[in-house]
Amino acid sequence: MIKALRGMKDIEDPRFLKIFDTTREIAENYGYSYIETPILEETSLFKRSVGESSDIVNKEMYQFTDKGGNDVCLRPEGTAGVVRSFIENKHDRQQSAKRVWYFGPMFRYERPQKGRLREFHQFGIESFGEASVYEDINVITMAADIFDALGIDYTLKINSLGCGECMPKYRKKLVGFLNTHKESLCEDCQRRITQNPIRTLDCKNENCQALLKDAPKITDNLCEECSKDFETLKKGLENLDISYEVDKNLVRGLDYYTKTTFEFISTEIGAQSAIAGGGRYDRLVEFLDGRPTPGVGFAIGVERIIELVKTNDKRKGIYIGVMLENALEFAQKKAKNLRNNEKVYFEPKVKSLKAHLKAADKGNYKKAMIIGEEELKNKTFFEKEM
Ligand code: HAM
């Protein structure tokens, strides 16, 4: 028997579509338009944006050479492709803001476990051209609105990674600290000192965690502008009654972030607790050869929230059934006409009244319309509110 690949799943849960509908409606209410980018992109796009030293690019890419000899890979995330499209379609040359949302599969060759798949779906948004920190607040508010609409509890963690001015100075300070403790750090962190020192801050190794408690923190080393923006961000969230925690070690697994970073965490789903993540990436467009354009966005992991979605099991639609073969045509036509206004299920099997009512109940229909001999004569239905 052929089975689905490890870490890949069929999705039949109706809550998947509920997430799609809810995210779509809220994104469009915020003025975002839909974008669909290819699932396959040139490998260099992810190397240059997500970062060569990130786990995603280093270990987790579905990368191969296609029949034309091109080095391609299945997208591990959505931002890079959207930025590629933004530049390719010359939106970076216009002065106006552009805001898009997407929903689709992402691929990461990770070790499958609860909450960690090799093919998973993200709903995401990207906002281009607006440097104001109020845009960050707007973006975070949208994520909060989505979780509220789906009935999902969360903790919001925020941090700032600084800009091109303060981040390099901070990185130097951190490297100094790391070098004085090099021997006590895990192997990965020793490598990170030269490759990506910031990532040591969220190392899962207990030893490193204890040691890094005394490391200099980026939020204590922000330049004046970044520091002011971070304060405005906090005040702005408070103004909208969105609770948050400052997590000074929140650095995220992708290299393109500057300034605001954030994650939404759920305590109800086990170790893989991040249900959404995002932040600002003011240098990414330029880095991918576009004109300098600020950007900010986030993505929600659909499979991670699917079981947290509260469904309202309200009865919906009409069930139409026949008790004799002769009534099939009449009943099917009735179903077709009623379907103009609402959900109608037509059962093509002839059954007893009792069996039809049982099926209508099981299918969660709000009304059953059944036709027997007497009803067919009068061109009517036996109707029952379920
Ligand atoms: P990310 O944090 O890598 O960010 O992924 C966003 C969310 O995708 C995570 O919080 C998690 O819920 C879900 N996710 C990630 N990996 C897996 C997996 N293996 N299995 C199941 N779910 C997973 C990004 O991808 C950025 N592109 C977000 C962004 C958009 N930043 C700015 N704009």
Side-chain angles (χ1 to χ4, degrees), residues 316-320 331-332 334-347 365 369:
K316 230 169 77 188
I318 300 174
Y319 174 105
I320 292 188
Q332 193 163 36
K334 181 80 178 174
K336 184 174 183 291
N337 291 339
L338 287 175
R339 217 172 272 128
N340 288 334
N341 305 314
E342 64 183 314
K343 170 182 166 181
V344 180
Y345 172 74
F346 170 68
E347 169 58 61
Y365 293 96
M369 290 174 64

Side-chain angles (χ1 to χ4, degrees), residues 68-320:
N70 305 299
D71 184 2
V72 295
C73 91
L74 295 177
R75 62 182 184 196
E77 59 105 50
T79 310
V82 173
V83 173
R84 194 258 320 126
S85 160
F86 179 79
I87 300 167
E88 192 174 342
N89 293 299
K90 301 190 174 54
H91 295 300
D92 58 330
R93 301 188 186 189
Q94 289 148 21
Q95 290 301 303
S96 53
K98 181 160 181 72
R99 299 183 176 88
V100 293
W101 69 275
Y102 51 88
F103 194 108
M106 309 291 159
F107 301 83
R108 297 184 192 176
Y109 198 83
E110 299 195 77
R111 204 156 51 81
Q113 62 184 92
K114 184 169 162 39
R116 184 179 277 163
L117 292 157
R118 286 182 174 168
E119 180 185 19
F120 59 98
H121 293 74
Q122 283 184 349
F123 159 79
I125 63 151
E126 312 298 346
S127 160
F128 296 100
E130 185 49 78
S132 162
V133 66
Y134 286 95
E135 184 72 357
D136 308 18
I137 299 168
N138 222 18
V139 160
I140 293 176
T141 307
M142 190 202 296
D145 279 356
I146 288 170
F147 292 133
D148 289 344
L150 293 169
I152 295 173
D153 293 331
Y154 60 82
T155 302
L156 166 63
K157 295 191 170 177
I158 60 167
N159 193 18
S160 173
L161 294 181
C163 62
E165 198 193 314
C166 50
M167 175 43 103
K169 287 185 197 153
Y170 166 70
R171 193 183 292 121
K172 224 169 160 184
K173 238 182 179 176
L174 179 66
V175 167
F177 173 89
L178 295 170
N179 274 326
T180 55
H181 297 88
K182 194 168 178 180
E183 267 67 69
S184 322
L185 292 168
C186 75
E187 241 172 64
D188 277 345
C189 281
Q190 291 193 11
R191 184 177 44 80
R192 285 176 184 134
I193 297 179
T194 47
Q195 287 186 354
N196 196 353
I198 310 298
R199 284 310 307 268
T200 56
L201 295 175
D202 71 345
C203 177
K204 300 285 174 283
N205 184 300
E206 277 177 23
N207 230 359
C208 296
Q209 269 178 12
L211 221 131
L212 283 154
K213 274 207 178 98
D214 300 325
K217 299 286 182 264
I218 174 69
T219 38
D220 304 327
N221 289 275
L222 295 172
C223 64
E224 210 183 313
E225 189 196 301
C226 288
S227 179
K228 203 172 132 237
D229 278 352
F230 196 47
E231 288 313 307
T232 308
L233 174 74
K234 290 191 275 188
K235 262 182 57 201
L237 292 173
E238 282 156 29
N239 177 46
L240 298 173
D241 298 319
I242 298 175
S243 334
Y244 63 86
E245 287 171 15
V246 174
D247 180 349
K248 294 182 176 184
N249 293 332
L250 179 67
V251 295
R252 315 261 306 120
L254 308 97
D255 288 354
Y256 47 63
Y257 292 110
T258 48
K259 291 192 165 184
T260 305
T261 54
F262 57 91
E263 261 176 19
F264 285 79
I265 307 292
S266 164
T267 51
E268 296 170 51
I269 52 170
Q272 302 309 318
S273 59
I275 51 176
R280 195 160 260 293
Y281 46 85
D282 287 346
R283 291 189 297 170
L284 182 56
V285 175
E286 192 181 353
F287 206 68
L288 290 174
D289 304 326
R291 292 202 182 158
T293 310
V296 56
F298 71 84
I300 294 177
V302 175
E303 283 82 353
R304 288 210 185 151
I305 61 167
I306 204 160
E307 275 164 25
L308 302 173
V309 173
K310 311 264 182 305
T311 45
N312 61 357
D313 286 343
K314 265 225 216 101
R315 290 184 171 275
K316 230 169 77 188
I318 300 174
Y319 174 105
I320 292 188

